[in-house]
Amino acid sequence: MATVVPPVTQDATSSKGPTAIVFMNMGGPSTTGEVGDFLSRLFADADLIPLGRLQSYLGPLIAARRTGKIQKQYSAIGGGSPIRKWSEYQSSEMCKILDKLSPSTAPHKPYVAFRYAAPLTEDMYARLLADGFGNGKGGRAVAFTQYPQYSCSTTGSSLNELWKWRTRLEGKDAGPGAITWSVIDRWPVHTGLVEAFARNVEAQLATYPEERRKDVVLLFSAHSLPMSVVNRGDTYPAEVAATVYAVMQRLGFSNPYRLCWQSQVGPSAWLGAQTSDTVAAYVKQGQTDLVLIPIAFTSDHIETLYELDQEVIHEAGSPGVKRAESLNGSPVFIQALADIAAAHLRSGEACSRQMRLRCQGCKSERCLQSKAFFMREQMELGSVV
C-alpha cells in the first residue's frame, strides 16, 4: 500500500520545514501485469543500458522478447517486487527518526521516486506540487539515492530524470518560488550502512558449525555494469569495492572474501567475474561453504529473491551455499539513513564534491545540464538553510 502523505504548507511550526525526503531507486513491478511497462522503460534508458543510435528501436524489441520470461520470475517470488513496500517503509520510518534528529527542518515528509516503475519520478513531482511545495511557495526537498554507491547508470539516471521533470513542471528558470533541491548522491562507507551489512553477515555465519565458520568464503555480489560505462570512468566499481573493504574491516577480516557481479544483460562485455560463474567455480573446487552478500542493494527484489536464491544458490546444489539477509527493515540501517540525512541537512551542501566532477569520457549533454542544475541549487540553498 502506498504511504499517504498529508498536505503540507510552508508556514510549518519549524523554522525551515517542512522538508521533502525523496527516496530514489530503480523500482520494480508490483504485479506481473506491470512487467512489460517496467522493461520498456528500463531498455529505453541509455544511461543504464546503452544501445547506441538504435536504442529507440532495439529497446522495445528486447523488452517485448523478455516480458514473458521475466513475468514468470516475478510469479516465482510472489507475483511482484517487494521494493516499493520496503522503500515506503524505510522512508517513513527514517523520517520519524529524522524529525527528532533535525527538528529545525521538520516535519520531514517521505516520498518515493522510481525510475522504471510506479511511483515514477513525474508522479512523485506532481505529488510534491499538490502537497504544497513549489508553485511559488518554495520549500526544500532532498533527493536521497538508495544506491549507496554512485553510478551514472543508476543515481545519475535518476537525477537526470528528476532534473527533466523539474524543468517540465516548474520551468527551466522557475525562480525563488520553486522547490529548492539538494542531493545525497552516495554513501558507500557510512558506518551505519557498514554495521547493518556486517550484522547480517555475522548472523548467517553463525548458522555454520563453529569448526567450519572461519573458512566460509564471503562472496559480495553487486549489479554489474557494461564495460563501456566502466571504461568511461564511472566510479561505481571503486565505490562498491570500498563498501566491501569497509565491511570486511568491521568483521576483522574474519573470512576469505571476493567481490563478484550479477545481472548482466545482452551479448556485450560486462564487468566480471559473474556471481553465478564464481559460485559454480568454487563449488567445483570443493569450496562448498559460501555466503552471498548483496552489497549494492538496500532491500530485496528480483535480483536477490530470484537470481541469487532461486538460480545461483539452487544451481549450486550445496546446502553450504547461503545468502545473508537483505537490509530491508533493519533498524540499524534505518537509523543510518536518518543519520545520513541529518548530516546532509546540517552541511548546507547541494551535492557532494564528487558529483560535480564528470566522468573522464562523459559526452552526455543531459548529464552536463543535470549536474549544472544541482550545482546552481547551492546558491538557492543559502536562502533556506
Side-chain angles (χ1 to χ4, degrees):
M1 296 293 291
T3 300
V4 177
V5 180
V8 297
T9 60
Q10 298 308 314
D11 58 353
T13 55
S14 65
S15 60
K16 300 170 185 175
T19 305
I21 307 293
V22 180
F23 272 32
M24 299 188 307
N25 210 328
M26 176 182 292
S30 296
T31 67
T32 55
E34 297 173 16
V35 169
D37 288 342
F38 169 76
L39 292 178
S40 294
R41 296 185 190 102
L42 188 146
F43 283 101
D45 184 8
D47 291 327
L48 179 67
I49 303 176
L51 299 173
R53 291 180 296 175
L54 297 178
Q55 185 101 30
S56 60
Y57 172 73
L58 292 175
L61 285 180
I62 298 172
R65 290 184 63 180
R66 291 179 61 84
T67 293
K69 175 184 177 181
I70 303 303
Q71 283 178 326
K72 291 179 182 178
Q73 293 180 1
Y74 277 105
S75 294
I77 64 168
S81 173
I83 192 171
R84 180 172 184 173
K85 176 192 76 173
W86 284 121
S87 296
E88 291 178 342
Y89 175 80
Q90 291 165 347
S91 61
S92 177
E93 293 302 301
M94 183 216 71
C95 281
K96 294 175 184 177
I97 300 172
L98 189 57
D99 283 347
K100 299 176 183 178
L101 294 178
S102 182
S104 66
T105 54
H108 301 90
K109 300 294 182 177
Y111 296 83
V112 172
F114 287 153
R115 184 66 180 85
Y116 311 112
L120 294 166
T121 305
E122 57 264 42
D123 300 326
M124 175 280 301
Y125 215 116
R127 283 186 59 208
L128 278 177
L129 297 175
D131 285 351
F133 292 91
N135 280 334
K137 301 173 185 176
R140 173 84 186 274
V142 177
F144 193 167
T145 180
Q146 292 305 293
Y147 307 101
Q149 306 91 2
Y150 184 93
S151 173
C152 297
S153 63
T154 53
T155 298
S157 177
S158 289
L159 292 177
N160 289 344
E161 190 75 357
L162 177 61
W163 165 76
K164 180 181 80 174
W165 285 104
R166 194 270 190 183
T167 301
R168 290 186 181 182
L169 296 177
E170 292 201 84
K172 187 174 183 180
D173 300 306
I179 298 169
T180 298
W181 284 94
S182 63
V183 181
I184 301 172
D185 51 81
R186 70 197 75 208
W187 33 288
V189 293
H190 185 272
T191 54
L193 174 71
V194 171
E195 182 65 24
F197 276 131
R199 290 193 186 189
N200 285 354
V201 173
E202 288 173 332
Q204 190 59 272
L205 283 173
T207 66
Y208 292 87
E210 187 174 357
E211 65 273 13
R212 288 161 45 194
R213 197 170 299 158
K214 64 181 176 56
D215 296 318
V216 175
V217 174
L218 306 181
L219 294 180
F220 294 88
S221 185
H223 201 296
S224 187
L225 280 182
M227 287 307 297
S228 59
V229 176
V230 175
N231 292 336
R232 194 172 61 209
D234 199 282
T235 62
Y236 175 75
E239 294 189 14
V240 172
T243 307
V244 170
Y245 192 85
V247 172
M248 289 308 305
Q249 197 167 40
R250 156 61 178 78
L251 293 171
F253 297 98
S254 59
N255 293 71
Y257 69 99
R258 287 292 186 272
L259 170 59
C260 45
W261 309 87
Q262 65 179 90
S263 310
Q264 296 88 333
V265 178
S268 61
W270 285 63
L271 183 63
Q274 293 187 30
T275 301
S276 56
D277 293 344
T278 300
V279 172
Y282 278 131
V283 170
K284 187 176 181 180
Q285 294 170 20
Q287 177 62 55
T288 57
D289 286 345
L290 308 167
V291 172
L292 290 161
I293 304 138
I295 198 65
F297 307 126
T298 56
S299 70
D300 274 323
H301 45 26
I302 197 166
E303 281 86 355
T304 59
L305 298 174
Y306 187 84
E307 185 177 352
L308 293 183
D309 291 354
Q310 298 191 33
E311 288 188 331
V312 174
I313 294 177
H314 176 73
E315 291 170 8
S318 170
V321 180
K322 306 178 184 182
R323 176 173 70 85
E325 186 179 349
S326 298
L327 297 177
N328 293 337
S330 162
V332 175
F333 175 62
I334 292 171
Q335 179 67 52
L337 293 173
D339 291 340
I340 292 165
H344 174 76
L345 290 168
R346 289 194 302 268
S347 75
E349 290 189 345
C351 61
S352 72
R353 299 184 70 83
Q354 269 288 74
M355 183 180 150
R356 302 172 195 181
L357 181 66
R358 298 177 74 193
C359 293
Q360 303 94 303
C362 181
K363 295 180 174 62
S364 170
E365 185 65 24
R366 188 164 73 142
C367 175
L368 176 63
Q369 293 184 23
S370 172
K371 285 180 181 291
F373 163 72
F374 288 108
M375 285 188 281
R376 286 196 303 271
E377 288 295 272
Q378 186 68 62
M379 294 182 289
E380 295 294 332
L381 205 54
S383 65
V384 295
V385 174

